[in-house]
Amino acid sequence: MAKAYCIVNIVKIHDTEKFNEYVVGHTPTIAQYGGRFLVKGNRGEVLEGVWPANLMVVHEFPSVERFRAWYNSEEYRPWKELRQSCADVNVILTEGADPE
């Protein structure tokens, strides 16, 4: 089964205090669903094309199903709502290559 990767581009933070609360509060929920951080808050460097070089986060989950279970979970819901109220982000979900 292929792993799932969630790529988050943090475009703009409107309320730093609330966003910092989100960062601290939501982190434990990720591990509950088998997820982990691969990249956390690093600034991206655009090598080709047009992409805002903002703060980036990359999560790895055991599968798309485990990611979706976390993303739609009761544990994450209040944190997602808090993030959506204080920051503009782009979120992309993709599967990794199937293990050989």
Side-chain angles (χ1 to χ4, degrees), residues 8-78:
V8 181
N9 182 16
I10 303 163
V11 177
K12 185 170 184 171
I13 299 171
H14 302 287
D15 186 325
T16 303
E17 188 175 314
K18 283 184 178 181
F19 190 79
N20 289 339
E21 182 182 342
Y22 162 77
V23 170
V24 171
H26 92 287
T27 298
T29 69
I30 293 169
Q32 289 178 266
Y33 289 83
R36 67 183 184 124
F37 287 95
L38 296 180
V39 175
K40 190 173 185 180
N42 296 359
R43 191 162 295 280
E45 177 185 356
V46 178
L47 300 177
E48 293 186 30
V50 179
W51 182 289
N54 296 310
L55 298 176
M56 303 289 292
V57 175
V58 178
H59 302 290
E60 178 186 71
F61 281 81
S63 66
V64 167
E65 293 76 21
R66 291 302 293 162
F67 168 81
R68 289 188 191 281
W70 166 74
Y71 190 74
N72 297 311
S73 71
E74 291 300 316
E75 294 88 359
Y76 182 54
R77 181 180 321 233

